[in-house]
């Protein structure tokens, strides 16, 4: 499988137990939460999906620090009430125990995809510029992953000029944030949203070499 247009590398602590998710062609897949540290001292809690075949050679438990390489993927979850919810996970291609020293950036992502909705530009009450994007990233078997992306500051100002159909390259990190949703007059639930926070972005150019397209974080 060609993964050059969607590459995630994350290091973090296993926060909960492995839960069975689904089985396909006699291969079982499990999900768990990985807490990935930020420079601010808080964590991003990211959902990981992993095949049982990657877990066969080692025993992973809550509290282990692990390195994971894979792809940031999306799929639709159909709720009993008829709602359709976009689920985002890191689909693991490799998982291994880590030293936990975080000598490298513990949360990196590269995407090469297409703008599939008009950008939404806004400013916060404190004047910070933000642009929301939805990027479609192609993968095998004519499937695509639809990834929410958020750009800040000068990247937000640039991102608001993009058009539906533009091919963009994005370097950034996967982030989680909690928000509250009112489901009744007297009931509010806390939910978690996942998105890609942009460090760098550019329009894709077929003229650039692989060396020029290596990950660069600014």
């Amino acid at each position: 499988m060609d993964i050059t247009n969607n590459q995630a590398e994350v290091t973090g602590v296993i926060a909960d137990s492995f839960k069975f998710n689904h089985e396909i062609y006699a291969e079982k897949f499990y999900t768990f939460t990985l807490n990935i540290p930020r420079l601010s001292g808080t964590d991003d809690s990211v959902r990981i999906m992993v095949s049982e075949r990657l877990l066969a050679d080692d025993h992973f438990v809550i509290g282990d620090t692990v390195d994971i390489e894979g792809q940031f993927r999306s799929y639709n979850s159909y709720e009993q009430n008829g709602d359709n919810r976009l689920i985002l996970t890191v689909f693991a291609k490799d998982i291994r125990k880590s030293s936990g020293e975080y000598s490298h950036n513990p949360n990196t992502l590269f995407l090469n995809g297409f703008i599939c909705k008009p950008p939404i530009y806004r400013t916060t009450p404190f004047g910070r510029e933000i642009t929301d994007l939805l990027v479609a990233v192609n993968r095998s078997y004519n499937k695509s992953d639809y990834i929410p992306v958020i750009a800040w500051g000068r990247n937000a100002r640039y991102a608001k000029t993009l058009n539906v159909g533009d091919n963009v390259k994005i370097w950034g990190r996967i982030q989680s944030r909690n928000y509250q949703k009112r489901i009744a007059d007297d009931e509010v639930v806390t939910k978690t949203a996942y998105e890609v926070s942009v460090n760098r972005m550019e329009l894709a150019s077929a003229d650039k070499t692989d060396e020029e397209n290596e990950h660069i974080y600014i």
Side-chain angles (χ1 to χ4, degrees):
M1 178 182 295
D2 181 11
I3 64 169
T4 56
N5 63 346
N6 186 336
Q7 300 175 62
E9 297 182 8
V10 294
T11 298
V13 176
I14 297 175
D16 55 16
S17 59
F18 290 70
K19 299 179 179 64
F20 174 75
N21 185 269
H22 68 282
E23 181 176 347
I24 184 169
Y25 301 123
E27 184 176 4
K28 295 179 180 178
F29 291 86
Y30 295 84
T31 60
F32 67 95
T33 302
L34 188 74
N35 287 342
I36 306 170
R38 292 189 188 183
L39 292 176
S40 63
T42 60
D43 291 336
D44 287 299
S45 297
V46 175
R47 178 187 174 102
I48 308 293
M49 183 175 293
V50 61
S51 165
E52 63 179 345
R53 298 176 185 180
L54 291 178
L55 304 175
D57 291 337
D58 213 334
H59 180 61
F60 299 95
V61 298
I62 295 173
D64 281 348
T65 300
V66 293
D67 296 322
I68 295 173
E69 297 176 9
Q71 295 180 309
F72 197 38
R73 291 187 177 180
S74 70
Y75 65 93
N76 290 317
S77 174
Y78 297 95
E79 309 290 317
Q80 291 183 347
N81 60 7
D83 290 343
N84 181 16
R85 191 158 62 100
L86 187 70
I87 304 296
L88 296 163
T89 68
V90 172
F91 184 85
K93 298 289 185 179
D94 187 33
I95 179 171
R96 57 190 179 274
K97 290 187 178 178
S98 171
S99 66
E101 296 178 355
Y102 298 112
S103 59
H104 60 286
N105 188 335
N107 188 344
T108 65
L109 180 70
F110 170 74
L111 300 174
N112 182 344
F114 299 86
I115 304 297
C116 55
K117 282 187 177 181
I120 300 174
Y121 172 83
R122 65 190 191 278
T123 58
T124 70
F126 297 101
R128 192 173 189 189
E129 296 173 287
I130 303 173
T131 297
D132 293 305
L133 303 169
L134 187 64
V135 177
V137 181
N138 295 331
R139 57 179 160 106
S140 300
Y141 308 111
N142 295 317
K143 293 184 178 181
S144 296
D145 295 296
Y146 294 91
I147 310 297
V149 173
I150 186 166
W152 306 82
R154 61 189 177 87
N155 283 326
R157 196 172 300 177
Y158 171 73
K160 73 177 181 179
T161 68
L162 298 173
N163 299 303
V164 173
D166 282 346
N167 185 191
V168 294
K169 294 181 178 180
I170 294 169
W171 295 260
R173 65 178 178 84
I174 303 166
Q175 71 176 21
S176 64
R177 58 180 175 84
N178 293 328
Y179 67 96
Q180 291 187 323
K181 181 177 181 180
R182 184 176 297 277
I183 59 176
D185 289 341
D186 58 350
E187 186 175 2
V188 176
V189 295
T190 299
K191 293 181 173 288
T192 303
Y194 302 95
E195 60 208 359
V196 175
S197 180
V198 173
N199 290 335
R200 174 191 165 195
M201 66 188 309
E202 62 183 37
L203 285 173
S205 170
D207 298 327
K208 291 198 173 183
T209 64
D210 290 340
E211 288 78 9
E212 291 175 309
N213 288 330
E214 288 180 353
H215 297 190
I216 301 173
Y217 297 90
I218 58 175

